[in-house]
């Protein structure tokens, strides 16, 4: 009968499975959570819309289903999961309009929701590198966005943050001047070659653990 050392007992008590081969699993890394987000209009940006997202986290895999309405029709809408360890883990407030322009751009919202962690593209890469992969985001036909994607691989840190309710979904792309297209003389804070309308936050929701 093998004896279990005091050290091993302590490790087991901490939730780590140890064998003679070493550590093979740790409950600390096994994220599992079912969450949802109620998407509301981003403050100051004049979107009359809303939506819902369902998010599941299993280990470092994220599955998401999302619907939204009231978006600028037939225009690409970048959508992301944002998270920042130093962020407030919430949607921006009017006081985040740091330049006092009366509208909120993506950078101004960062103290609330942090940087892009997952790009909710329809195909291909989902990393932050695809944050503005405009040709791979939903174009909201008729203003309605419908999105579903599974097996999104994220880092352990991002998986844990989302499972803990610290992630925020932001759908971008607004129409401040109501001309039906992304336009205007103000360049995007994310890509000066695009109008700020193309990237300003439209809808936002904190990904919250379900009861
Ligand atoms: Cu975003």
């Amino acid at each position: 009968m093998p004896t279990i050392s005091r050290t091993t007992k302590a490790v087991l008590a901490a939730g780590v499975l140890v064998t003679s081969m070493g550590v093979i699993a740790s409950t600390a890394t096994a994220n599992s959570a079912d969450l949802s987000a109620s998407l509301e209009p981003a403050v100051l940006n004049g979107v009359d819309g809303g939506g819902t997202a369902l998010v599941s986290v299993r280990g470092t895999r994220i599955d998401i289903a999302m619907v939204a309405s009231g978006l600028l029709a037939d225009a690409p809408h970048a959508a992301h999961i944002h998270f920042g360890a130093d962020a407030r883990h919430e949607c921006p407030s009017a006081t985040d309009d740091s330049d006092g322009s009366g509208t909120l751009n993506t950078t101004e919202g960062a103290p609330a929701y942090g940087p892009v962690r997952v790009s909710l593209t329809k195909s291909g890469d989902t990393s932050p590198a695809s944050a503005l992969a405009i040709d791979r985001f939903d174009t909201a036909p008729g203003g309605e966005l419908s999105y579903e994607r599974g097996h999104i691989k994220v880092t352990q840190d991002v998986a844990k943050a989302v499972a803990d309710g610290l992630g925020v979904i932001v759908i971008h792309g607004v129409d401040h001047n109501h001309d039906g297209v992304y336009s205007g003389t103000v360049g995007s804070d994310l890509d000066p070659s695009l109008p700020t309308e193309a990237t300003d936050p439209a809808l936002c929701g904190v990904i919250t653990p379900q009861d």
Side-chain angles (χ1 to χ4, degrees), residues 78-82 106 113 116 170-172:
H80 315 114
I81 296 174
H82 289 247
T106 298
Y113 46 60
V116 171
V170 182
I171 300 176
H172 302 258

Side-chain angles (χ1 to χ4, degrees), residues 90-181:
E90 61 187 32
C91 290
S93 64
T95 55
D96 288 310
D97 175 23
S98 51
D99 70 359
S101 67
T103 62
L104 189 89
N105 69 25
T106 298
T107 304
E108 288 174 322
Y113 46 60
V116 171
R117 298 299 185 178
V118 180
S119 297
L120 298 174
T121 55
K122 298 173 74 170
S123 63
D125 175 62
T126 54
S127 79
S130 291
L132 290 179
I134 291 301
D135 57 339
R136 288 189 285 120
F137 288 107
D138 196 284
T139 56
E144 309 271 330
L145 178 148
S146 179
Y147 176 83
E148 194 168 349
R149 192 159 180 189
H151 295 268
I152 297 173
K153 187 79 174 170
V154 299
T155 65
Q156 175 63 29
D157 287 355
V158 170
K160 181 173 180 4
V162 173
D164 287 347
L166 305 180
V168 181
I169 290 176
V170 182
I171 300 176
H172 302 258
V174 304
D175 186 17
H176 295 307
N177 61 4
H178 305 288
D179 69 349
V181 293

